[in-house]
């Protein structure tokens, strides 16, 4: 599937591909991703941790059967780590063995001497790889947690995101034949610059509704009994009403669903008990302050919510 | 959806046209439809900007492209496409959600009008074809006027009910229009408890000279010592440099010790702005806010209060507004436009914010003095203010008229206690006030009656 084919992709086609990849997406997500693909613009996904932002990038890659190039951002990430590095060892050896010259590409080196500033000596890091990737379908470039990177790095990304090209001083400008599909994710630990946001389509993912989450759990944890899965989602739904420091995301729900499925081998369809919830809370609650807030009363309420799960699904 | 892979203005054109033709036999006016969509999109973006959303110019362009991809048939798709292109913060969603129904309604009703009526909503068929959203500023001047016979939009009334659309190119009129000229004020009856409304305008952009006028006014009122010092016969500090120079004539022994004192270069100010219906109709309210904001920025410390029948401390809104207090006031759901009870306002100030006024504070009251409250309360309030404040300056929007005399009940009660009474309809009036204060001092002969600009019109001078 080429970049041109993306442009004529229809919304329903995209939805089918999400379905096949077992990714439950609401209309807003489908429309926004569809726009990002058709318009060929980067997609900035924001939302609380564990709401499936990174997963969206992965699913896009698998849905279009293409390479996923992931760049995990962190504080202190530099252009060298993200873009390219010269293979200094190889360059040094080449120069010593008189196989190459340090003169630049346009330098005055003899014809038989090759410059060491050449593709051969270039170590491609994720961003450059995304630009130079070959293959029919453009790769998916997932720039994960861009808010963790420094602002300088963010500024550096701008050239890449607007023109899909980077300049390497010794080498020239590398531009992508097929612009990659770019997905940026952010947890909003800091605000992103307007310049970056301006270049992206914006998607804010929220915690899914009870029904959507049930759907997700059913797909991702098929080993768990359907009724129990509903109870699991109801409990998480109830927990999200509490003002916790760290709200449980979908990732936590899935963890917990797997844990519950793992623990109950024999009586697979028995309803959730307060004891069971309490023992496995570690999958959902990740802050000690939040854990302290869970008392017998809240556990009781959680169980009540679980008991009503079946009715909610039918309603 | 459409085979068009070129996401340019041409693409937007096609998408709009396709959507407009959808399900209709007759041939609609494509150009009108397209033009209508672009106009509505710009209006929508302007409305969002008005509500504090940062919408870059390019975002509107991208929104148009996105619309060409998703078409105009499905409301939720259009909403998603616009959300993706126009927003970039979760906090901006509320503004979007409240403005979208109106946009959608206008869009659809306009498109149906285009589809059924070959003349289109406006008779603009003969003008030149617009080449894309970037050029679309020009058609804005003409209102497509599509809403005449359509049903009203379902706006949830949490925002201001009437959606005032301001297009960025629209000039704001910064004038001191008299109430008689505004037309809409004819129907208004000023009363003690008049209907209050939310802040529904935005802050005006003042010109450089207007800003300078306000700054000059602030400087003229300065009451608080700054860093700069000047020579003085009885200062609090020895001026070392001059003392050293003087000591040369006495063989190095410092006999004379010239002293210096700090100049008063900073202003601590308590700004009381009357936002009753009568004042709001007299002065340009966006300029009024812009003035208050500039004063807030320019003075070292400013407490800002708005009062009509109630007194509201809005200092925080001005601090947070960052140059756009209107948005902050709107967000804080501050209401204005009620009746005038100046005395009550002063009493509330005294009871709740006694420390807003001290002997280094200049109290600046912006009010027309058309008080409908109890005169005794006003007299109590104004005497307290006059006693406690370093200076009491009254800016009266009505006093710009040559025929003005402080004869209204509220004004005649207050005038004896004022250090100065100036006319104020636009920032330029402040430059005149500043000129007088600079020349004769705040406690000298200053006031509206010494306004040079009015002397020609009216030979007489009042007495303060």
């Amino acid at each position: 599937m080429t970049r041109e084919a993306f442009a004529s992709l229809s919304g329903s086609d995209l939805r089918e591909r999400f379905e096949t990849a077992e990714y439950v997406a609401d209309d807003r997500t489908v429309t926004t991703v569809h726009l990002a693909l058709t318009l060929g613009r980067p997609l900035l996904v924001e939302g609380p941790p564990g709401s499936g932002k990174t997963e969206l990038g992965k699913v896009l890659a698998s849905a279009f059967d293409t390479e996923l190039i992931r760049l995990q951002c962190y504080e202190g990430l530099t252009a060298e780590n993200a873009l390219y590095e010269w293979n200094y060892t190889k360059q040094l050896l080449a120069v010593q063995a008189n196989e190459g010259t340090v003169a630049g590409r346009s330098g005055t080196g003899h014809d038989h001497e090759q410059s060491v500033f050449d593709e051969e000596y270039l170590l491609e890091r994720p961003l450059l790889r995304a630009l130079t990737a070959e293959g029919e379908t453009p790769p998916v470039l997932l720039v994960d947690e861009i808010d963790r990177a420094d602002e300088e790095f963010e500024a550096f990304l701008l050239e890449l995101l607007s023109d899909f090209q980077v300049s390497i001083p010794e080498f020239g400008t590398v531009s992508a034949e097929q612009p990659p599909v770019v997905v940026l994710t952010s947890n909003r630990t800091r605000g992103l610059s307007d310049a970056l946001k301006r270049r992206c389509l914006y998607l804010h993912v929220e915690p899914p509704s009870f029904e959507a989450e049930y759907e997700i759990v059913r797909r991702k944890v098929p080993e768990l009994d359907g009724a129990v899965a509903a109870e699991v989602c109801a409990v998480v739904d109830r927990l999200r009403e509490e003002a916790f420091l760290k709200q449980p995301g979908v990732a936590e729900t899935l963890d917990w669903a797997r844990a519950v499925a793992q623990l109950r081998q024999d009586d697979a369809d028995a309803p959730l008990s307060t004891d069971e919830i309490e023992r496995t809370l570690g999958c959902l609650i990740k802050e000690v302050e939040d854990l302290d807030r869970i008392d017998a009363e809240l556990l009781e309420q959680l169980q009540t919510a679980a008991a009503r799960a079946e009715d909610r699904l039918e309603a | 959806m459409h085979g068009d892979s070129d996401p340019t203005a041409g693409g937007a054109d096609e998408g709009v046209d396709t959507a407009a033709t959808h399900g209709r036999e007759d041939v609609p006016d494509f150009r009108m439809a397209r033009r209508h969509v672009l106009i509505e999109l710009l209006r929508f973006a302007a409305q969002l900007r008005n509500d504090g959303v940062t919408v870059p110019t390019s975002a509107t362009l991208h929104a148009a492209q996105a619309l060409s991809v998703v078409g105009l048939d499905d409301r939720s798709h259009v909403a998603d496409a616009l959300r993706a292109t126009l927003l970039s913060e979760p906090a901006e969603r509320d503004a979007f959600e409240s403005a979208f129904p109106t946009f959608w309604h206008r869009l659809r009703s306009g498109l149906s009008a285009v589809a059924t009526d070959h003349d289109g909503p406006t008779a603009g068929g003969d003008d030149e074809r617009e080449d894309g959203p970037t050029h679309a500023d020009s058609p804005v001047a003409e209102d497509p006027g599509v809403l005449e016979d359509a049903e009203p939009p379902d706006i949830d009334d949490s925002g201001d009910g009437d959606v005032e659309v301001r297009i960025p190119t629209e000039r704001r009129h910064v004038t001191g229009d008299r109430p008689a000229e505004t037309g809409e004020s004819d129907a208004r009856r000023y009363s003690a408890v008049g209907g209050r409304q939310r802040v529904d305008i935005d802050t005006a952009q003042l010109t450089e000279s207007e800003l300078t006028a306000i700054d000059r006014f602030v400087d003229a009122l300065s009451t608080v010592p700054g860093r700069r010092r000047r020579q003085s016969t009885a200062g609090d500090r020895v001026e070392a440099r001059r003392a050293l120079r003087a000591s040369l004539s006495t063989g190095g022994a410092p006999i004379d010790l010239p002293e210096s004192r700090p100049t008063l270069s900073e202003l601590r100010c308590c700004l009381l702005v009357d936002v009753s219906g009568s004042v709001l109709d007299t002065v340009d309210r966006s300029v009024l806010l812009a003035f208050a904001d500039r004063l807030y920025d320019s003075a070292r410390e400013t407490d800002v209060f708005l009062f009509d029948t109630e007194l509201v401390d809005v200092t925080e809104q001005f601090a947070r507004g960052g140059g756009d207090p209107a948005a902050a006031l709107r967000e804080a759901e501050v209401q204005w436009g009620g009746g005038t009870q100046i005395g009550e306002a002063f009493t509330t100030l005294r009871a709740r914010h006694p420390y807003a006024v001290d002997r280094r504070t200049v109290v600046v009251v912006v009010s027309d003095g058309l008080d409908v409250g109890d005169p005794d309360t006003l007299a109590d309030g104004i005497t307290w203010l006059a006693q406690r404040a370093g200076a009491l300056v009254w800016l009266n929007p009505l006093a710009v008229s040559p025929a003005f005399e402080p004869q209204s009940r509220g004004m005649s009660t207050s005038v004896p206690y004022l250090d100065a009474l100036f006319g104020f309809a636009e920032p330029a009036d402040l430059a005149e006030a500043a000129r007088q204060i600079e020349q004769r001092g705040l406690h000298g002969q200053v006031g509206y009656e010494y306004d040079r600009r009015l002397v020609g019109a009216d030979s007489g001078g009042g007495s303060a």
Side-chain angles (χ1 to χ4, degrees):
Chain A
M1 194 160 188
T2 60
R3 192 81 219 186
E4 285 74 37
F6 273 142
S8 54
L9 182 79
S10 80
S12 52
D13 186 16
L14 182 67
R15 182 175 289 282
E16 265 170 42
R17 284 175 188 263
F18 275 149
E19 289 281 325
T20 326
E22 305 275 317
Y23 186 77
V24 182
D26 56 6
D27 283 350
R28 187 173 300 181
T29 312
V30 174
T31 310
T32 313
V33 173
H34 174 221
L35 281 175
L37 292 176
T38 12
L39 301 179
R41 286 157 52 82
L43 177 66
L44 171 64
V45 191
E46 281 192 342
S51 49
K53 301 184 296 294
T54 309
E55 189 68 16
L56 179 63
K58 292 184 187 167
V59 163
L60 270 181
S62 72
F64 292 99
D65 196 22
T66 180
E67 190 185 358
L68 174 73
I69 300 171
R70 180 171 172 173
L71 173 67
Q72 174 70 48
C73 296
Y74 51 87
E75 212 175 310
L77 177 67
T78 57
E80 284 75 36
N81 302 132
L83 190 59
Y84 70 93
E85 253 177 308
W86 291 108
N87 191 342
Y88 295 121
T89 326
K90 197 172 170 185
Q91 283 180 328
L92 191 64
L93 287 173
V95 173
Q96 282 179 345
N98 264 337
E99 284 169 7
T101 157
V102 287
R105 239 189 173 187
S106 52
T108 51
H110 300 293
D111 289 344
H112 62 275
E113 277 190 338
Q114 199 203 350
S115 167
V116 292
F117 294 109
D118 200 25
E119 247 175 306
E120 199 185 328
Y121 303 95
L122 201 61
L123 293 175
E124 290 187 346
R125 299 295 181 212
L127 291 183
L128 192 59
R129 208 165 79 235
L131 292 185
T132 56
E134 288 170 8
E136 207 191 343
T137 317
V140 174
L141 171 63
L142 174 65
V143 183
D144 215 359
E145 308 195 348
I146 174 76
D147 51 332
R148 284 178 196 273
D150 305 318
E151 279 168 33
E152 293 78 11
F153 183 74
E154 207 180 298
F156 160 79
L157 266 184
L158 292 181
E159 185 193 1
L160 185 93
L161 292 182
S162 51
D163 304 333
F164 293 109
Q165 65 173 37
V166 290
S167 311
I168 302 174
E170 304 90 344
F171 187 67
T173 304
V174 181
S175 55
E177 277 172 38
Q178 296 225 61
V181 175
V182 183
V183 178
L184 301 115
T185 76
S186 157
N187 282 333
R188 291 192 60 77
T189 54
R190 69 174 171 88
L192 301 177
S193 76
D194 284 346
L196 183 74
K197 287 193 289 195
R198 193 162 59 77
R199 286 173 171 79
C200 299
L201 289 182
Y202 178 76
L203 174 66
H204 189 262
V205 225
E206 280 150 66
S209 65
F210 171 70
E211 289 79 14
E213 192 161 34
Y214 174 70
E215 190 68 21
I216 297 171
V217 173
R218 288 298 285 156
R219 279 162 187 257
K220 300 280 179 180
V221 196
E223 63 268 28
L224 189 67
D225 180 78
V228 184
E231 289 181 7
V232 163
C233 296
V235 169
V236 177
D237 200 38
R238 173 71 188 77
L239 275 178
R240 288 201 187 116
E241 288 171 22
E242 297 291 318
F244 284 141
L245 292 177
K246 163 78 181 77
Q247 297 279 353
V250 184
E252 275 81 21
T253 315
L254 291 178
D255 273 352
W256 192 42
R258 287 194 192 99
V260 172
Q262 188 69 36
L263 285 179
R264 46 169 70 198
Q265 306 283 344
D266 1 303
D267 48 350
D269 50 354
L272 279 174
S273 66
T274 44
D275 180 47
E276 197 176 2
I277 297 176
E278 195 173 6
R279 269 187 292 144
T280 50
L281 264 182
C283 300
L284 285 173
I285 308 293
K286 307 283 172 73
E287 297 279 345
V288 65
E289 288 85 356
D290 292 347
L291 213 49
D292 289 341
R293 297 179 57 150
I294 298 188
D295 48 14
E297 194 186 344
L298 183 56
L299 278 174
E300 206 63 47
Q301 286 174 5
L302 291 179
Q303 206 198 8
T304 326
R308 267 193 248 120
E310 205 84 22
D311 305 338
R312 284 179 70 179
L313 269 189
E314 281 159 17
Chain B
M1 184 173 282
H2 316 300
D4 189 2
S5 63
D6 178 26
T8 57
D13 191 10
E14 188 188 325
V16 168
D17 294 348
T18 317
T21 32
H22 185 82
R24 295 195 178 88
E25 283 85 16
D26 54 345
V27 185
D29 188 342
F30 288 162
R31 273 162 64 186
M32 283 320 300
R34 177 169 168 277
R35 194 181 140 103
H36 171 65
V37 171
L38 294 180
I39 289 175
E40 286 308 330
L41 189 59
L42 279 171
R43 281 182 149 198
F44 183 53
Q47 174 66 32
L48 287 180
R49 286 196 191 105
N50 221 5
D51 293 346
V53 179
T54 327
V55 184
T57 319
S58 62
T60 330
L61 193 67
H62 296 140
Q65 292 170 359
L67 284 185
S68 78
V69 174
V70 298
L72 298 169
D73 290 334
D74 189 329
R75 178 185 164 128
S76 67
H77 283 171
V78 171
D80 291 341
L82 295 184
R83 253 185 225 112
T85 44
L86 296 179
L87 303 188
S88 58
E89 290 280 336
E92 296 167 351
R93 265 179 303 166
D94 288 345
F96 183 92
E97 300 304 336
S98 70
F100 185 76
T102 314
F103 164 75
W104 179 249
H105 172 77
R106 283 170 182 277
L107 185 75
R108 292 309 305 176
S109 59
L111 282 182
S112 350
V114 171
T116 52
D117 178 11
H118 285 264
D119 294 335
T122 56
D126 55 342
D127 61 2
E128 256 188 58
R129 186 185 172 90
E130 294 297 327
D131 270 331
T134 46
H135 290 216
D137 277 8
S138 39
V140 154
E142 303 164 33
D143 192 287
V146 294
L147 281 176
E148 258 78 65
D149 52 350
E151 51 184 312
D154 51 332
I155 315 158
D156 58 332
D157 223 356
S158 64
D160 41 352
D162 59 346
V163 179
E164 187 196 0
V165 181
R166 244 174 221 278
I167 306 297
T169 54
E170 184 185 329
R171 257 190 78 246
R172 298 200 179 83
H173 300 283
V174 186
T175 55
D177 284 344
R178 296 288 83 81
E181 294 155 25
T182 58
E184 62 180 36
S185 62
D186 294 347
R188 184 187 274 280
R189 295 282 173 271
Y190 302 126
S191 70
V193 288
R196 309 182 80 206
Q197 61 196 55
R198 289 161 195 271
V199 179
D200 58 351
I201 47 108
D202 44 11
T203 318
Q205 290 297 321
L206 297 181
T207 63
E208 203 56 44
S209 65
E210 288 172 325
L211 293 176
T212 318
I214 298 172
D215 289 355
R216 194 171 157 201
F217 180 67
V218 167
D219 284 346
L221 287 181
S222 298
T223 49
V224 181
R227 288 221 184 97
R228 209 175 299 157
R229 308 181 69 80
R230 68 200 285 183
Q231 197 182 342
S232 160
T233 45
D236 57 353
R237 219 181 274 176
V238 171
E239 205 181 346
R241 202 186 298 176
R242 287 176 60 85
L244 195 64
R245 202 178 316 135
S247 73
L248 292 180
S249 59
T250 52
I255 311 285
D256 286 328
L257 293 179
E259 289 173 327
S260 73
R261 61 181 167 86
T263 55
L264 302 179
S265 61
E266 296 284 345
L267 174 64
R268 190 186 294 161
C269 178
C270 174
L271 181 64
L272 296 162
V273 185
D274 184 343
V275 288
S276 61
S278 54
V279 173
L280 291 186
D281 288 344
T282 314
V283 297
D284 187 331
R285 35 187 98 179
S286 52
V287 173
L288 188 63
L289 283 185
F291 155 71
D293 191 51
R294 182 62 177 188
L295 186 78
Y296 177 85
D297 272 348
S298 190
R300 176 184 281 181
E301 256 177 68
T302 312
D303 290 324
V304 189
F305 298 90
L306 302 184
F307 68 92
D308 43 18
T309 44
E310 287 167 30
L311 179 93
V312 198
D313 183 355
V314 291
T315 313
E316 197 199 344
Q317 275 73 36
F318 277 83
R320 265 192 297 147
D324 187 7
L329 291 174
R330 210 162 26 232
E331 198 181 299
E333 304 196 339
V334 172
Q335 294 197 320
W336 65 7
T340 321
Q341 291 185 343
I342 306 175
E344 301 291 341
F346 291 170
T347 313
T348 318
L349 181 74
R350 183 179 184 176
R352 294 214 205 118
H353 311 278
Y355 300 109
V357 182
D358 63 26
R359 67 182 178 84
R360 286 205 184 279
T361 311
V362 175
V363 176
V364 178
V365 181
V366 182
S367 170
D368 55 6
L370 300 176
D371 186 32
V372 288
D374 183 4
D376 292 338
T377 321
L378 177 59
D380 285 350
I382 198 85
T383 44
W384 173 74
L385 267 185
Q387 257 175 6
R388 191 169 170 109
L392 182 52
V393 177
W394 193 295
L395 301 177
N396 190 332
L398 302 179
V400 291
S401 155
F404 174 79
E405 283 293 342
Q407 280 166 351
S408 71
R409 202 171 56 184
M411 225 49 245
S412 59
T413 313
S414 310
V415 155
Y417 303 99
L418 302 181
D419 289 299
L421 169 62
F422 293 106
F424 168 62
E426 47 184 324
D429 298 326
L430 295 175
E432 167 64 18
R435 186 191 65 81
Q436 294 187 20
I437 300 173
E438 280 162 13
Q439 286 190 350
R440 299 192 278 270
L442 193 50
H443 302 285
Q445 291 185 317
V446 291
Y448 69 98
E449 61 269 43
Y450 302 109
D451 194 333
R452 275 195 307 192
R453 300 171 301 171
L454 298 181
V455 168
D458 184 315
S459 54
S463 57

